[in-house]
Amino acid sequence: MHFSIPETEVRSGENGSTYVAYNIHVNGVLHCRVRYSQLLGLHEQMKREYGSSVVPAFPPKKIFTLTPAELEQRREQLEKYMQAVRQDPLLGASESFNSFLRKAQQETQQIPTEEAELDICLSNGQKVIINILTSDQTEDVLEAVASKLDLPDELVGYFSLFLIREGGDGSCSFVRKLQEFELPYVSVTSLRNPEYHIVLRKSYWDSAYDSDVMDNRVGLNLLYAQTVSDIERGWILVNKDQHRQLQSLQEKGSKKEFIRLAQTLKYFGYIKFDPSITDFPEKGCHVIVSAGNNELNFHVRLPNEQVKEGSFKVTRMRCWRVTSSQVPVANGTATPCSGGKCEVKLELAFEYLMSKDRLQWVTITSPQAIMMSICLQSMVDELMVKKSGGSIKKMLKKRHNGALHRSESQQAVKSPPLLDSPDTNREQVVKLSTKLTSVTLRGISTSNSSSDISGNNFHGNYAFEGIGDDDL
């Protein structure tokens, strides 16, 4: 998740005094407004629970009123602090941090705690209406949906709630997976846009786990509805003969056989993103990106209108980052963001092992860049658990004790051929197995070059660590 504090506001307090509010954005959308004193209180609480050596340094108090320059410096420091806490496996998963964000979200949106109905969509368009409290967190809402559907407790972790946006043409864009630090009712209500919905969808990538879910009637129906929906959207590639076989199985009501046939089809289980722009193999290329099967798949339209396809395996991504910047939009002319309308420009960039002696940066410019990053991280987490002999069932249970433990010596898998790259510049890799540090996401920096590898800008990919020449 991308945390930023792009702006501050001067707001009025209850007694008529004014204070500075720091607007915390998640994925480029306002999540909450908080005061410096509130963040300081959170900091002190985490220090008591985890110790000063674990919690990042906090911007110091000032005796006198801050100057504009000092206020800007504090904003930047608080932004880095929030990013560091969120990215830390222990602090970012702590109840202290997440409950702080949930409470702040509710207070900012001014939605009182009360009973309410919430619509949860299934993949086939059917809606499940659940009775909740407006202050219920994501996990509570997921369990309420499962209870309403009669989905067994042991299968709840196989599914997640996603925020989506439906277009007037029937298109569906995945905005993000709802996180433990947010209140689903508040998140969707505060958008004040009927195009946004919460949908239930499976949360794992390896189709081998479909068997666990299909053994249950409700799980089977959910997977079947998702598979039918993905085929109808064109997310799964189906030829005429396969379409006839699927249609015959549908008519017979053979749901398991339908899913098993679909599992053999190209792009089964993938999430398809909206059209975006990439710099690979050339700058300014239009691309359709899909995530699944431990890879990002590219359908690229070159400037000469030729279409090429290629895949980037997560095991060959050394690291990745998400950057955001403010882009002015005012009648197509450049206007300072302080005086005109702006939109957030998001980019996902990953450093990829093109061959055993060459790393190259690939960038995707897309409003869904953070959702792509979340998909990459969850694929890596799942892959590492599987390679270390862990249990997917254990991975999918509630994680009150922090994030997943990643093994330090894992073998990478081979990647299929990629698009031919026109870039002849070769960057030597000294030692591919060098361990990478766990790092954070932040807003756009002064340098976007591939040589700018300062620790606080990147997600290190643990699945990359064990890769060697034999894997290439």
Side-chain angles (χ1 to χ4, degrees):
M1 302 300 287
H2 183 65
F3 276 67
S4 63
I5 305 179
E7 61 199 5
T8 60
E9 288 184 38
V10 177
R11 300 182 69 85
S12 298
E14 294 179 357
N15 58 0
S17 62
T18 59
Y19 65 91
V20 175
Y22 295 86
N23 294 346
I24 298 177
H25 287 231
V26 178
N27 294 8
V29 177
L30 177 67
H31 179 79
C32 61
R33 298 185 186 92
V34 295
R35 302 172 71 156
Y36 171 85
S37 59
Q38 291 175 289
L39 290 173
L40 178 59
L42 169 66
H43 174 71
E44 295 296 337
Q45 181 181 352
M46 289 193 296
K47 279 206 306 181
R48 289 192 296 271
E49 293 181 11
Y50 302 101
S52 300
S53 61
V54 176
V55 183
F58 193 79
K61 289 182 178 180
K62 300 284 186 179
I63 298 176
F64 302 106
T65 303
L66 299 181
T67 65
E70 290 173 330
L71 182 62
E72 174 60 16
Q73 182 184 42
R74 175 175 283 182
R75 181 198 64 78
E76 292 179 353
Q77 291 172 337
L78 289 174
E79 181 176 77
K80 291 177 181 178
Y81 175 83
M82 291 296 292
Q83 292 169 351
V85 170
R86 173 59 186 172
Q87 198 62 29
D88 184 278
L90 183 63
L91 302 177
S94 69
E95 181 58 22
S96 299
F97 183 65
N98 290 304
S99 62
F100 173 86
L101 290 172
R102 290 193 294 266
K103 182 179 179 182
Q105 181 190 22
Q106 187 178 13
E107 290 177 349
T108 298
Q109 301 300 340
Q110 297 182 332
I111 296 179
T113 298
E114 58 188 13
E115 293 183 352
E117 288 186 345
L118 181 62
D119 291 345
I120 304 296
C121 297
L122 305 182
S123 296
N124 59 3
Q126 184 179 352
K127 290 184 179 180
V128 177
I129 302 175
I130 56 174
N131 295 309
I132 60 164
L133 292 175
T134 55
S135 57
D136 280 347
Q137 59 192 35
T138 300
E139 193 172 66
D140 297 328
V141 174
L142 178 59
E143 290 176 353
V145 178
S147 177
K148 187 71 177 282
L149 294 172
D150 202 22
L151 183 69
D153 291 344
E154 62 269 20
L155 293 182
V156 174
Y158 286 76
F159 295 87
S160 290
L161 300 175
F162 293 85
L163 182 66
I164 66 167
R165 183 171 185 170
E166 291 186 345
D169 57 354
S171 60
C172 173
S173 299
F174 277 71
V175 179
R176 69 174 183 271
K177 179 181 176 181
L178 295 183
Q179 301 293 306
E180 66 276 12
F181 59 76
E182 62 183 313
L183 311 177
Y185 180 89
V186 177
S187 293
V188 72
T189 303
S190 62
L191 291 170
R192 297 176 178 84
N193 188 329
E195 293 182 351
Y196 288 93
H197 305 284
I198 298 175
V199 68
L200 182 71
R201 186 179 174 91
K202 73 177 186 180
S203 58
Y204 57 90
W205 298 95
D206 191 337
S207 59
Y209 302 117
D210 287 341
S211 298
D212 296 343
V213 180
M214 286 194 293
D215 284 340
N216 173 263
R217 175 185 57 83
V218 178
L220 173 62
N221 288 335
L222 290 172
L223 279 188
Y224 175 75
Q226 179 177 315
T227 305
V228 171
S229 174
D230 288 355
I231 291 174
E232 291 176 346
R233 286 195 187 110
W235 287 12
I236 299 175
L237 196 62
V238 183
N239 62 33
K240 289 184 178 179
D241 183 53
Q242 293 163 341
H243 186 269
R244 282 194 295 269
Q245 294 179 55
L246 290 168
Q247 192 172 27
S248 175
L249 291 172
Q250 271 188 299
E251 291 171 354
K252 295 177 182 177
S254 304
K255 295 180 180 179
K256 282 189 178 182
E257 289 74 13
F258 182 94
I259 294 172
R260 290 188 180 119
L261 175 57
Q263 288 173 336
T264 67
L265 305 180
K266 197 170 184 180
Y267 310 128
F268 174 83
Y270 283 58
I271 287 180
K272 191 173 184 179
F273 298 98
D274 298 340
S276 51
I277 303 295
T278 183
D279 62 356
F280 185 88
E282 301 177 37
K283 286 186 177 180
C285 288
H286 292 265
V287 62
I288 301 293
V289 179
S290 300
N293 193 29
N294 296 326
E295 70 180 21
L296 289 184
N297 179 272
F298 275 33
H299 269 80
V300 178
R301 184 176 295 278
L302 302 177
N304 63 4
E305 297 302 310
Q306 184 181 5
V307 176
K308 286 193 174 183
E309 179 188 0
S311 295
F312 296 89
K313 284 290 183 182
V314 296
T315 45
R316 292 177 67 174
M317 295 179 187
R318 189 171 78 97
C319 56
W320 64 84
R321 65 185 176 192
V322 173
T323 56
S324 62
S325 57
Q326 298 284 334
V327 179
V329 285
N331 299 324
T333 60
T335 305
C337 285
S338 58
K341 292 184 177 180
C342 286
E343 62 181 16
V344 176
K345 176 185 177 182
L346 290 172
E347 291 184 340
L348 169 69
F350 56 88
E351 192 177 29
Y352 197 76
L353 189 64
M354 296 293 180
S355 61
K356 65 182 179 180
D357 62 348
R358 183 163 67 96
L359 286 164
Q360 180 178 329
W361 281 96
V362 177
T363 301
I364 306 165
T365 302
S366 167
Q368 295 173 294
I370 296 164
M371 181 66 190
M372 294 179 190
S373 175
I374 292 172
C375 291
L376 289 178
Q377 188 62 65
S378 60
M379 282 190 278
V380 169
D381 285 342
E382 190 175 310
L383 182 64
M384 299 307 294
V385 167
K386 186 177 181 181
K387 283 180 173 288
S388 63
S391 168
I392 186 72
K393 293 182 180 180
K394 190 174 182 180
M395 171 186 169
L396 293 172
K397 287 181 179 178
K398 299 176 185 178
R399 305 171 192 172
H400 292 303
N401 296 322
L404 296 170
H405 171 74
R406 297 183 177 90
S407 172
E408 293 183 352
S409 56
Q410 303 298 334
Q411 293 300 312
V413 297
K414 289 188 176 182
S415 173
L418 284 169
L419 297 167
D420 293 330
S421 171
D423 185 3
T424 56
N425 295 325
R426 290 181 175 268
E427 182 179 350
Q428 296 298 318
V429 181
V430 179
K431 188 177 180 184
L432 299 181
S433 59
T434 301
K435 290 183 174 59
L436 303 174
T437 310
S438 180
V439 292
T440 62
L441 297 172
R442 74 172 195 181
I444 196 164
S445 61
T446 54
S447 172
N448 273 334
S449 68
S450 58
S451 60
D452 177 22
I453 314 182
S454 54
N456 288 334
N457 288 339
F458 297 83
H459 267 311
N461 184 359
Y462 290 81
F464 178 90
E465 290 177 357
I467 195 170
D469 290 352
D470 293 341
D471 298 301
L472 301 173

